Amino acid sequence: MTAALPDPFDDGTLALVPLAECHREGLRLACATDDTIWAIYPVSFGGAHFDPAFDAMFAAANRIPFAILVDGEVAGTTSYWLDAANDVVEIGGTFLVPAQRGTGLNGRVKRLMIDRAFDLRMRRVEFRIDTRNERSIAAVEKLGAVREGVLRRNRLTWNGICRDTAVYSLLASEWV
């Protein structure tokens, strides 16, 4: 069942398609629209960091990266991290261009990804968010995700900050 996780899917003007080389320049332009956001991300996609970060998205065997397309244009990226042995998937690494923030697009992206995960018999969807990222925390809480706790000083980010990570989850039985 999990083999279908990377299949493209859409919701009208929004499409999530497997990230590929053809998205590199569009994503580079999208990421350059907000150079300050990378301070609260574990990895920077800004400036000279872009190409190594883009290439690294394909290195992890359990990561399934997507391009977020709005009307055919790259508006950001998001990923699944699959733990198939436990029927768990994490959704994260989401970036949207500033013009799309606050428009409801992030909620549409997350609902599509959550629906797909539960349709494919995942038991649990997780979100792991830097506690400084108030916008992302508010977004997953709006979806009904449950805050399970904070992993204190658990991840060293690209800029040397040892972050605290809030862990949220949704269970298949909770998603309507």
Side-chain angles (χ1 to χ4, degrees):
M1 294 296 276
T2 58
L5 274 174
D7 290 347
F9 48 115
D10 65 81
D11 171 13
T13 59
L14 164 65
L16 299 176
V17 299
L19 190 70
E21 184 61 35
C22 64
H23 302 115
R24 182 183 295 264
E25 293 312 313
L27 187 58
R28 181 191 315 274
L29 290 172
C31 290
T33 61
D34 185 0
D35 212 36
T36 61
I37 195 74
W38 305 115
I40 59 171
Y41 275 67
V43 175
S44 174
F45 280 76
H49 300 277
F50 180 83
D51 285 316
F54 184 91
D55 294 340
M57 286 200 283
F58 303 98
N62 67 330
R63 185 174 188 175
I64 304 167
F66 292 93
I68 299 169
L69 305 179
V70 176
D71 294 324
E73 298 294 321
V74 176
T77 186
T78 192
S79 293
Y80 283 130
W81 278 268
L82 179 62
D83 177 356
N86 292 299
D87 297 328
V88 174
V89 68
E90 178 186 342
I91 297 173
T94 303
F95 169 79
L96 293 175
V97 294
Q100 291 292 344
R101 296 178 195 154
T103 67
L105 180 66
N106 186 51
R108 289 172 60 201
V109 167
K110 296 297 192 291
R111 283 188 291 280
L112 279 173
M113 295 181 80
I114 294 165
D115 285 346
R116 157 96 26 112
F118 290 143
D119 287 349
L120 295 175
R121 307 287 188 246
M122 294 287 109
R123 289 181 306 103
R124 173 183 169 93
V125 171
E126 294 181 348
F127 304 90
R128 295 174 182 260
I129 306 165
D130 188 319
T131 57
R132 298 172 297 153
N133 192 341
E134 295 173 6
R135 181 184 299 124
S136 290
I137 286 172
V140 299
E141 288 176 350
K142 188 174 179 179
L143 290 168
V146 173
R147 186 174 180 141
E148 296 183 338
V150 174
L151 304 173
R152 299 176 307 148
R153 297 183 51 83
N154 81 303
R155 187 164 188 186
L156 190 60
T157 66
W158 69 275
N159 56 0
I161 292 173
C162 192
R163 81 177 206 184
D164 294 338
T165 302
V167 179
Y168 286 81
S169 71
L170 288 164
L171 304 180
S173 60
E174 299 168 336
W175 188 245
V176 182

